[in-house]
Amino acid sequence: MIDDVYNARILDFAGNIPRIGMLEDADAEASAHSKLCGSKVKVWLKMDGDQVADFAQDVKACALGQASSSIMARNIVGASAAELREVRETMRRMLKENGPAPDGRFADLKFLEPVRDYKARHASTLLTFDAVVDCLDQIEARKDKEDAA
C-alpha cells in the first residue's frame, strides 16, 4: 500500500526539486501549510502578461509535497494563469473525486494518483497548487484595482 504512494518516481521528484530559492522581483508570493502533517510551501511568481515568466519556491514538506512542488517547478514557466487554475482543479478532482490525472505539460502529476486513497495526504500534495493560485489571485486583484483607478 505505502509502496504505491512512495514509488520510485515520486521519490525521484521529491529528491530533485528545481527552482529552490526566492525571487526578489516577484509579482506575488504566497504560502500554504498543511496543519495535519506540518508541510509548508512558499512560492514566488513573476508574470509576463498572462504567462509565468519566472518562479521560485521554498519547500519544507513531506515527500508528496516535495514531489508535487518539483513537478510544478519543472513545468510552470510559460504556463498561463488559466492553465494553472485548471491544473489545480484537475488535481483536486483526481484526489478527491476519482477524476483523471492532469495531462499536457503537467502529465507527470499522474504519478501522484495513488495518493487519492490516502485522504490525510491530499492537503500536502495540493500545497504548491494552492500557493500558486493564491499568487495569481493577488496579481489579478492588484490589476483590477489599478484598472479601476
Side-chain angles (χ1 to χ4, degrees):
M1 121 184 148
I2 211 75
D3 290 341
D4 292 339
V5 175
Y6 295 102
N7 61 60
R9 286 303 302 263
I10 293 300
L11 295 176
D12 182 52
F13 285 124
N16 297 290
I17 305 172
R19 299 187 168 276
I20 294 292
M22 58 186 297
L23 287 180
E24 295 295 332
D25 64 342
D27 294 320
E29 66 180 65
S31 298
H33 174 250
S34 170
K35 293 179 181 131
L36 188 62
C37 70
S39 291
K40 295 178 186 177
V41 173
K42 185 170 187 177
V43 302
W44 290 263
L45 193 63
K46 178 86 174 158
M47 301 293 286
D48 181 7
D50 190 49
Q51 289 192 316
V52 175
D54 206 356
F55 175 80
Q57 61 187 346
D58 180 27
V59 181
K60 305 265 190 283
C62 65
L64 299 172
Q66 291 174 6
S68 60
S69 294
S70 178
I71 295 167
M72 174 65 80
R74 293 164 195 260
N75 299 287
I76 192 170
V77 173
S80 69
E83 186 179 5
L84 293 169
R85 290 181 187 285
E86 179 59 30
V87 76
R88 177 202 194 192
E89 184 58 21
T90 302
M91 280 297 292
R92 189 195 63 72
R93 284 192 308 261
M94 180 185 85
L95 294 175
K96 299 182 180 296
E97 300 171 9
N98 207 32
D103 56 9
R105 79 168 72 222
F106 292 100
D108 282 343
L109 291 167
K110 69 183 176 212
F111 295 108
L112 290 162
E113 276 187 284
V115 178
R116 74 168 41 119
D117 296 330
Y118 302 93
K119 188 175 180 180
R121 299 291 179 230
H122 292 181
S124 60
T125 305
L126 293 170
L127 288 175
T128 190
F129 304 97
D130 294 341
V132 165
V133 169
D134 186 347
C135 282
L136 294 172
D137 290 346
Q138 291 175 43
I139 293 166
E140 288 176 10
R142 190 167 46 250
K143 184 179 181 308
D144 289 346
K145 191 175 181 180
E146 290 169 358
D147 289 349

